């Protein structure tokens, strides 16, 4: 097939983004339309078909050139059968055979995977991990998401639960607080934007002298900005978030030995103030043989990682 193209679908709670990639993982065209949060699987699949057909029709490509369609879905999936088991933000999307239904509608091969895994694959195929086959991608946002790519493929594990990096229980019991998953001391309780904001608020409540006490409605960015300006409380918080991220990377190095760690999500824009202490912790806790020539870099694709990675499911399968 000449000029083969790959289509990706990134399902979110409020929007469905679709995109066309070329064989090198370059995103050529995108289209975005709404998701109805109360819709069921049939209605969501119908929107996906409609958006994909519109996307392709609005370009110089034809559906004949589409090699396959991938979809990144937030929630629990059976990736082998292509069934969406449940999606917390889209309650009507339940026990739905998305792969089979979309294949019938589009007459193309369809692959589905979890949205965090797909974003990692996007960075591996067309972003900060281009040309690298073994990497781990963290998304630092409200929580800590992740995806592990080994040999160019998503590591899904036995029940698709591999790569839930935010729920590694790394925080010592004496400092551990409850996580949304039901356990205590998970990485994301400290190293997410939510964790950073919480630590800042606690420091202010303790009466620490910090310029953060002057800020209304503290965001993670305020903490990083204060740290850059030399605020000791902010620096301590950033170092704590970085310590556990670096420690988690040291453990992953021992288990899967990636060549690169990629950090995405809002917090990854903080720059050296975050990356430097992460690297120091990683260096301190990893084995020299497993960290040789390994680097830690920011993600490149931003919000496009999902749609690029979804298209990449077809090529990496
Ligand atoms: Zn957890």
């Amino acid at each position: 097939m000449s000029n083969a193209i790959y289509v990706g679908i990134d399902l979110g709670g409020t929007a469905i983004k679709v995109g066309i990639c070329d064989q090198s993982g370059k995103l050529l065209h995108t289209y975005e339309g709404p998701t109805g949060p109360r819709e069921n699987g049939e209605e969501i699949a119908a929107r996906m078909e409609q958006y994909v057909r519109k996307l392709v029709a609005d370009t110089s490509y034809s559906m004949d050139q589409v090699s396959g369609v991938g979809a990144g879905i937030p929630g629990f999936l059976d990736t082998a059968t292509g069934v969406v088991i449940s999606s917390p933000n889209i309650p009507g999307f339940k026990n739905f055979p998305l792969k089979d239904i979309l294949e019938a509608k589009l007459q193309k091969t369809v692959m589905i995977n979890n949205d965090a895994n797909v974003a990692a694959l996007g960075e591996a195929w067309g972003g900060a991990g281009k040309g690298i086959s073994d990497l781990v991608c963290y998304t630092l946002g409200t929580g800590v998401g992740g995806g592990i790519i080994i040999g160019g493929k998503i590591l899904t594990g036995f029940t698709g639960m591999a790569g839930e990096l935010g729920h590694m229980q790394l925080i010592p019991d004496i400092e551990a607080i409850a996580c949304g998953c039901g356990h205590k001391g998970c990485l994301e309780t400290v190293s997410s934007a939510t964790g950073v904001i919480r630590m800042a608020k606690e420091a202010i409540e303790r009466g620490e002298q910090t310029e953060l006490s002057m800020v209304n409605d503290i965001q993670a960015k305020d903490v990083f900005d204060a740290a850059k300006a030399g605020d000791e409380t902010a620096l301590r918080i950033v170092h704590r978030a970085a310590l556990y991220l670096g420690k988690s990377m040291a453990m992953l190095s021992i288990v899967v030995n990636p060549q690169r760690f990629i950090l995405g999500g809002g917090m990854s824009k903080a720059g050296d103030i975050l990356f430097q202490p992460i690297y120091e912790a990683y260096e301190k806790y990893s084995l020299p043989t497993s960290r040789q020539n390994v680097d830690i870099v920011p993600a490149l694709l931003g919000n496009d990682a999902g749609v690029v990675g979804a298209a990449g499911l077809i090529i990496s399968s």
Side-chain angles (χ1 to χ4, degrees):
M1 197 183 304
S2 64
N3 295 326
I5 53 169
Y6 303 85
V7 170
I9 303 173
D10 181 15
L11 174 68
T14 56
I16 298 172
K17 187 172 181 178
V18 292
I20 294 175
C21 288
D22 69 10
Q23 289 169 16
S24 70
K26 187 175 169 206
L27 186 60
L28 305 171
H29 298 280
T30 59
Y31 172 75
E32 197 171 315
T35 319
R38 311 227 165 276
E39 288 178 344
N40 62 28
E42 283 291 347
E43 291 162 320
I44 290 166
R47 278 188 193 272
M48 287 177 171
E49 181 196 11
Q50 184 198 338
Y51 297 166
V52 167
R53 289 194 184 278
K54 177 170 169 47
L55 167 74
V56 175
D58 287 350
T59 68
S60 57
Y61 296 101
S62 71
M63 284 301 286
D64 288 343
Q65 288 169 281
V66 176
S67 290
V69 178
I73 309 294
F76 300 101
L77 319 170
D78 183 331
T79 51
T81 58
V83 173
V84 177
I85 297 163
S86 69
S87 183
N89 294 326
I90 313 169
F93 207 16
K94 224 176 162 60
N95 299 320
F96 186 76
L98 181 65
K99 174 184 163 74
D100 288 352
I101 300 280
L102 276 183
E103 284 187 342
K105 284 179 184 293
L106 292 164
Q107 295 294 303
K108 299 287 173 191
T109 300
V110 172
M111 314 273 299
I112 70 171
N113 213 304
N114 163 281
D115 58 346
N117 285 339
V118 160
L121 184 63
E123 289 292 342
W125 188 34
K130 209 170 170 56
I132 288 180
S133 57
D134 303 291
L135 60 86
V136 175
C137 196
Y138 285 71
T139 306
L140 308 176
T142 319
V144 174
I148 300 173
I149 307 294
I150 296 296
K153 294 184 195 304
I154 295 170
L155 185 74
T156 48
F158 172 43
T159 60
M161 293 301 291
E164 290 287 343
L165 307 181
H167 300 289
M168 288 191 269
Q169 289 168 53
L170 286 166
I171 319 298
D173 283 351
I174 194 165
E175 305 171 7
I177 66 154
C179 176
C181 72
H183 286 283
K184 281 175 84 179
C186 292
L187 178 65
E188 75 173 30
T189 63
V190 167
S191 302
S192 62
T194 314
V196 166
I197 293 166
R198 175 183 59 79
M199 290 188 283
K201 286 181 175 166
E202 285 171 358
I204 294 164
E205 275 166 26
R206 278 197 302 271
E208 285 190 31
Q209 281 214 324
T210 164
E211 65 181 63
L212 292 169
S213 59
M214 322 276 266
V215 182
N216 284 323
D217 187 24
I218 293 180
Q219 300 299 310
K221 183 177 185 303
D222 299 318
V223 181
F224 289 109
D225 287 347
K228 283 175 197 164
D231 186 275
E232 280 185 23
T233 295
L235 272 169
R236 205 194 59 241
I237 293 168
V238 171
H239 283 179
R240 185 152 184 255
L243 166 68
Y244 292 109
L245 281 169
K247 214 169 181 176
S248 74
M249 290 171 187
M251 292 179 171
L252 287 166
S253 270
I254 288 164
V255 180
V256 294
N257 188 213
Q259 183 179 349
R260 178 167 290 174
F261 291 95
I262 299 173
L263 302 187
M267 260 170 68
S268 67
K269 297 185 180 74
D272 279 352
I273 195 84
L274 177 66
F275 278 70
Q276 190 58 38
I278 290 175
Y279 194 82
E280 283 165 15
Y282 170 65
E283 208 169 22
K284 180 174 173 189
Y285 294 105
S286 58
L287 289 175
T289 43
S290 62
R291 70 163 177 270
Q292 229 163 33
N293 300 318
V294 174
D295 54 10
I296 303 173
V297 303
L300 283 181
L301 297 179
N303 293 332
D304 289 337
V307 78
V308 172
L313 286 173
I314 299 302
I315 252 187
S316 82
S317 65

